[in-house]
Amino acid sequence: MERTENKVKNQMKESNNVDYPDFDQMWSSIQRDELKVAGGEPVVLRPRKRKRFALVAGLSVALMATPVYAALTYDWSSMLSYREGIQSALGQGLGQTIEQSVTKEGVTLTVHTAFIDENRTVLLYSLKPETSQDVKDIDFKLIGLKDSKGNFIEGNYWNQWNEGLGEYKGYFETDWVAEGQTTDVEFIMENIQYIGNKKQSISYNPNDSTTQVFPIQKDGVGSVTLQSFEQAEGKVLLKSDVTFTDTEMPYRGVEFEAINNVGESVKQVKSTSSAFRDGGANVDQLFKSDTLRGEGTKFQISYEDILETKESTWSTNLNLSKKQLENGSYKQVLDIPMGNVPNMKIHEMKVTPSQVRLTLTQDQGRYETIPFQEYQLDVGGTLLRARDVRSGKNLNETELRFEVTGLNVASLANQPVSFVAKHRVDAIRGDDNPIHLTDISVKPQSLTSSIAGYPITWTYYLKDNNLYVESLSSDPAFAGVNQTYYLDGDNGPNFGSPDLMGILEDGSNKAMDVYENFDKKELDIYIEKYLIDKPNEELRIPLKSGK
């Protein structure tokens, strides 16, 4: 189960776990901004008017038999802004009304509506806590389903505070799907945690370019190590390495904050980018240099903390049915070559009223990144955007997930469907020509080279016994050096670790690799792969004809 989704969803990004050294996939995710937002800005559906709800409430005796009536009294649009298919199904009355509640330890859990089809199972729920503390969020030691055989089913979830109702709205989503038309499950939450925000002042010096370490040793946060890297146009990249002493919260929401002389938080140039690891996190933030160095500016670390844990179990037994979403659902094997993308096919399309999933396959042993940044389905002129790009069940599979909105069930079955891929970025293998680095020291050195006619400026320097190698091209068609390496005798290639998390301004092709514990004065490095940007290239492939 991913607590990261519970928080990163506030920026609406579902990140994928990528095994080293698949930097192609990582870079592709950065190019798509998946770490920030999967598929672009959310399309927030307008909430229904209060006047209409008042009218419906007046007819409650007649309409209580209508599916999802109770759920519609909530405004779920912001909660489901990246699950538009569920929002659309909810508006069409396709969900299964549950309305079951359980109260323990002053917390009431209510499951309002369920959606179960051949793609996923989704529950809409609310949590009403009784607490006087300044709670910013809630989390759980355990949340999921148990099937009729007692098997635990994990999933992703998100909670959103509703000030007017004094409760959290939430959804739980899992790829698990019942084998039959109906199934009995148990929805479980254990040990609800109230999450607050803590702040700790630090004596950061923005004029000191050396690494600065700040021991926190409080609330499960061990220490914060800050490194600064000067950027173009008067910007500075701050990289924070945070260690945790409390493993109960794998996501601590740690951020560096600058407070100006009038007590206001200094804005970042771009949203924070974070990567999580066992026992810690790496956080990248981009600021304007002059705002950090302003007179009277103070600095602090903010982080999440568990204020209280309600140690109990909230569970409710549910009988789930696919009946509400079975019409218009189908699966079709396609095996259509993906145009000018070699060794790749569009293998299968699985359609339900709330979501379409396309499975792309590559030839066995060829696990390349798909060279496009945006994916759509054109259903009779209505465009559905891929919200999630995920690894499939097998290594050679990629799954694209499209939320269904603006269409009814009949449209999915009867309209022609085409696959559209936009903004191509090709990853190309580097050549055998080395870039020779000399006089390696703490003083930055620069040199230029070229590959396939594209100019590259290299800047390299030592910092804390690590070698940093930056690359930048003046040609906007060059999308960046994906990764560098050097040859280490019989040990083979030694790859640099990409050390930018997409935090730089949009359109930048700057990249930075780091080689840890480096002690040489000279080095030949090679380009593993580089990227070429083709923003106007589009691929359109018909998948099915209309009826």
Side-chain angles (χ1 to χ4, degrees):
M1 195 157 27
E2 300 178 2
R3 169 158 168 80
T4 53
E5 174 151 344
N6 189 32
K7 294 301 298 177
V8 174
K9 283 288 183 125
N10 288 310
Q11 302 173 18
M12 305 315 288
K13 158 69 156 196
E14 290 186 38
S15 55
N16 299 324
N17 294 323
V18 182
D19 294 333
Y20 178 90
D22 189 1
F23 293 110
D24 291 347
Q25 181 65 35
M26 189 189 85
W27 187 273
S28 180
S29 295
I30 292 171
Q31 292 294 317
R32 283 191 299 264
D33 263 352
E34 283 185 326
L35 298 176
K36 178 189 69 176
V37 175
E41 293 298 321
V43 179
V44 181
L45 302 181
R46 294 181 180 179
R48 295 172 181 268
K49 296 181 180 179
R50 293 179 180 273
K51 185 175 181 181
R52 180 174 180 178
F53 280 131
L55 174 63
V56 173
L59 300 175
S60 59
V61 173
L63 295 180
M64 279 302 289
T66 301
V68 304
Y69 165 78
L72 283 174
T73 63
Y74 284 84
D75 175 16
W76 295 95
S77 59
S78 60
M79 166 65 61
L80 299 173
S81 61
Y82 263 62
R83 292 293 180 264
E84 304 103 313
I86 297 299
Q87 176 79 357
S88 178
L90 186 66
Q92 297 177 59
L94 298 179
Q96 177 186 353
T97 303
I98 303 294
E99 296 302 327
Q100 295 178 199
S101 299
V102 58
T103 301
K104 285 187 178 181
E105 300 293 329
V107 180
T108 299
L109 163 66
T110 302
V111 180
H112 296 282
T113 314
F115 301 85
I116 179 169
D117 56 28
E118 295 303 322
N119 278 333
R120 57 183 170 178
T121 297
V122 176
L123 301 180
L124 302 182
Y125 64 84
S126 62
L127 278 171
K128 192 173 185 64
E130 294 179 4
T131 179
S132 59
Q133 299 192 70
D134 188 14
V135 178
K136 301 297 183 184
D137 197 5
I138 55 172
D139 197 22
F140 321 96
K141 284 287 191 67
L142 183 74
I143 179 171
L145 301 174
K146 276 189 178 179
D147 65 15
S148 57
K149 298 179 181 178
N151 299 314
F152 186 74
I153 302 163
E154 295 184 341
N156 298 316
Y157 57 97
W158 183 37
N159 305 302
Q160 185 182 73
W161 177 248
N162 185 307
E163 185 70 33
L165 297 175
E167 65 185 26
Y168 288 92
K169 296 182 297 183
Y171 75 73
F172 173 84
E173 179 180 20
T174 174
D175 287 343
W176 174 85
V177 175
E179 294 181 0
Q181 287 298 102
T182 61
T183 187
D184 292 324
V185 298
E186 183 182 11
F187 185 45
I188 302 173
M189 292 178 178
E190 288 186 3
N191 295 1
I192 295 176
Q193 300 168 334
Y194 293 160
I195 310 298
N197 189 262
K198 297 286 187 71
K199 299 181 185 296
Q200 178 70 42
S201 297
I202 59 173
S203 55
Y204 174 70
N205 182 359
N207 298 309
D208 183 356
S209 61
T210 63
T211 300
Q212 301 178 49
V213 182
F214 304 97
I216 305 297
Q217 299 300 323
K218 186 178 180 182
D219 304 321
V221 179
S223 64
V224 177
T225 300
L226 286 174
Q227 290 182 297
S228 62
F229 298 87
E230 296 297 326
Q231 306 297 316
E233 300 178 353
K235 300 182 181 68
V236 60
L237 172 65
L238 285 183
K239 300 182 70 65
S240 307
D241 183 13
V242 186
T243 62
F244 303 144
T245 59
D246 180 7
T247 59
E248 294 298 314
M249 290 185 65
Y251 185 103
R252 299 305 301 263
V254 181
E255 266 196 345
F256 169 90
E257 290 184 347
I259 309 299
N260 62 23
N261 57 1
V262 294
E264 298 173 338
S265 180
V266 173
K267 291 184 179 180
Q268 300 178 47
V269 175
K270 195 174 182 183
S271 301
T272 299
S273 178
S274 304
F276 305 96
R277 52 180 171 75
D278 290 341
N282 301 109
V283 184
D284 290 353
Q285 296 170 266
L286 192 66
F287 293 91
K288 289 184 177 180
S289 301
D290 56 358
T291 60
L292 292 183
R293 298 186 173 109
E295 185 178 353
T297 303
K298 299 179 180 179
F299 305 97
Q300 63 188 19
I301 295 296
S302 68
Y303 55 90
E304 293 182 344
D305 186 42
I306 301 175
L307 303 177
E308 182 184 359
T309 300
K310 297 290 188 179
E311 295 186 353
S312 188
T313 299
W314 291 256
S315 66
T316 182
N317 294 317
L318 309 173
N319 180 259
L320 301 183
S321 171
K322 296 179 183 177
K323 181 178 180 180
Q324 285 77 9
L325 281 87
E326 64 181 354
N327 290 333
S329 297
Y330 64 90
K331 182 170 66 175
Q332 185 174 357
V333 175
L334 303 170
D335 281 334
I336 300 173
M338 195 170 161
N340 58 358
V341 181
N343 309 305
M344 186 169 291
K345 292 182 179 181
I346 304 173
H347 170 61
E348 182 181 81
M349 179 168 62
K350 189 187 293 185
V351 176
T352 71
S354 74
Q355 190 183 70
V356 179
R357 295 189 181 184
L358 280 187
T359 301
L360 311 182
T361 60
Q362 301 183 57
D363 292 347
Q364 290 289 343
R366 302 182 65 93
Y367 310 131
E368 301 289 341
T369 302
I370 309 172
F372 287 93
Q373 309 306 298
E374 182 181 348
Y375 307 95
Q376 296 174 332
L377 284 182
D378 186 338
V379 184
T382 299
L383 296 179
L384 309 180
R385 178 178 294 177
R387 290 303 189 193
D388 295 325
V389 181
R390 302 192 179 192
S391 298
K393 295 179 180 178
N394 301 312
L395 283 175
N396 67 325
E397 291 182 351
T398 301
E399 189 176 77
L400 308 180
R401 300 183 178 187
F402 303 82
E403 294 292 313
V404 175
T405 182
L407 296 168
N408 57 32
V409 176
S411 295
L412 284 169
N414 299 326
Q415 294 290 334
V417 179
S418 293
F419 173 70
V420 182
K422 296 182 176 182
H423 191 166
R424 182 165 183 152
V425 177
D426 284 317
I428 302 173
R429 294 284 178 186
D431 57 29
D432 296 328
N433 298 317
I435 298 95
H436 187 56
L437 311 182
T438 61
D439 299 323
I440 298 173
S441 67
V442 295
K443 181 182 178 180
Q445 308 279 348
S446 293
L447 60 87
T448 59
S449 71
S450 66
I451 189 168
Y454 297 101
I456 305 174
T457 298
W458 302 87
T459 302
Y460 57 96
Y461 49 89
L462 289 175
K463 192 170 186 177
D464 301 315
N465 298 318
N466 299 326
L467 172 62
Y468 288 85
V469 180
E470 300 179 1
S471 58
L472 182 68
S473 177
S474 59
D475 192 328
F478 189 82
V481 173
N482 196 20
Q483 192 180 17
T484 61
Y485 68 94
Y486 68 85
L487 299 176
D488 189 15
D490 295 336
N491 295 323
N494 189 327
F495 290 92
S497 298
D499 206 34
L500 287 178
M501 294 296 297
I503 195 67
L504 298 182
E505 57 268 35
D506 293 337
S508 173
N509 58 29
K510 184 175 182 178
M512 181 167 67
D513 283 358
V514 59
Y515 296 90
E516 296 183 353
N517 302 317
F518 189 84
D519 59 2
K520 298 181 178 65
K521 292 296 182 180
E522 296 187 5
L523 184 68
D524 283 340
I525 63 169
Y526 298 83
I527 297 174
E528 167 62 14
K529 282 187 180 180
Y530 60 96
L531 306 173
I532 302 301
D533 193 18
K534 301 175 182 177
N536 298 320
E537 184 161 335
E538 179 177 310
L539 178 67
R540 178 177 288 267
I541 301 173
L543 302 183
K544 64 181 291 288
S545 58
K547 294 182 180 180

